[in-house]
Amino acid sequence: MKTVACSKLTTVSEYAFYGNSRLDLIDTMAIRKIGTSDSSQLAFGLCYSLKSLYLPNVINIAPNSFNGSGVEKLVIGRSFVPFTSSTYKMDTDIDIYGYRNSTAQSYAQSNGNDFYPIDDLAYTLNLPTNKSCIQGSSITLQVEVLGYEVSYCW
């Protein structure tokens, strides 16, 4: 399984995707919980190809949900609350993106994760207003954006 389309999935159970080393993309818009309690583990464990997750509606993430995974970037919405702050620990090599003054920021700062605010994220390209392209050649513009649905206009 490489891509999972599960737009109605609200809870990811313990070991749900464990060991799926080919999983690289999952529709996460509806997910509210990863794990069902503070003892749930490894929902995405050993998912080496999964590099980032956009979880705008997640409320809870169980400890060790991402241990042994390839997840490096996690975008968390305003509703996030750890199951239990005393036992909750996420890999410190996961960068957390979220809103300023949120539980996601407090969690990241108190547990050694890098935190990147997304409140007023804006990116301006200093590109010329016109760029010519000779027929048969191409121009490539590559942008990576986490936490937002990207749109563009040509």
Side-chain angles (χ1 to χ4, degrees):
M1 175 179 356
K2 189 168 171 72
T3 300
V4 176
C6 47
S7 60
K8 296 184 181 186
L9 178 68
T10 58
T11 301
V12 177
S13 300
E14 182 173 34
Y15 297 103
F17 296 99
Y18 181 81
N20 188 342
S21 60
R22 294 182 58 217
L23 178 68
D24 66 355
L25 182 64
I26 183 169
D27 178 352
T28 57
M29 293 299 291
I31 294 176
R32 306 284 287 165
K33 292 183 177 183
I34 297 178
T36 54
S37 71
D38 63 357
S39 62
S40 296
Q41 295 193 43
L42 301 170
F44 294 98
L46 304 181
C47 293
Y48 305 121
S49 299
L50 189 62
K51 299 298 181 197
S52 61
L53 281 172
Y54 175 54
L55 300 165
N57 299 308
V58 75
I59 297 171
N60 301 118
I61 301 174
N64 306 313
S65 291
F66 307 106
N67 284 10
S69 74
V71 175
E72 300 166 350
K73 300 172 185 173
L74 190 60
V75 181
I76 301 175
R78 296 184 196 279
S79 304
F80 172 68
V81 177
F83 275 111
T84 56
S85 57
S86 60
T87 62
Y88 190 84
K89 189 78 172 151
M90 190 181 303
D91 290 347
T92 56
D93 57 344
I94 296 176
D95 295 336
I96 297 177
Y97 294 73
Y99 294 94
R100 285 184 182 93
N101 302 314
S102 66
T103 305
Q105 181 179 12
S106 299
Y107 174 81
Q109 291 172 338
S110 62
N111 289 287
N113 296 84
D114 290 334
F115 178 80
Y116 299 93
I118 61 172
D119 307 64
D120 47 17
L121 179 64
Y123 191 78
T124 304
L125 296 172
N126 293 323
L127 298 174
T129 55
N130 291 322
K131 183 70 177 170
S132 298
C133 183
I134 299 172
Q135 186 175 355
S137 62
S138 63
I139 297 174
T140 303
L141 173 63
Q142 182 175 337
V143 178
E144 179 182 351
V145 179
L146 289 173
Y148 291 93
E149 291 185 27
V150 179
S151 64
Y152 60 92
C153 179
W154 292 104

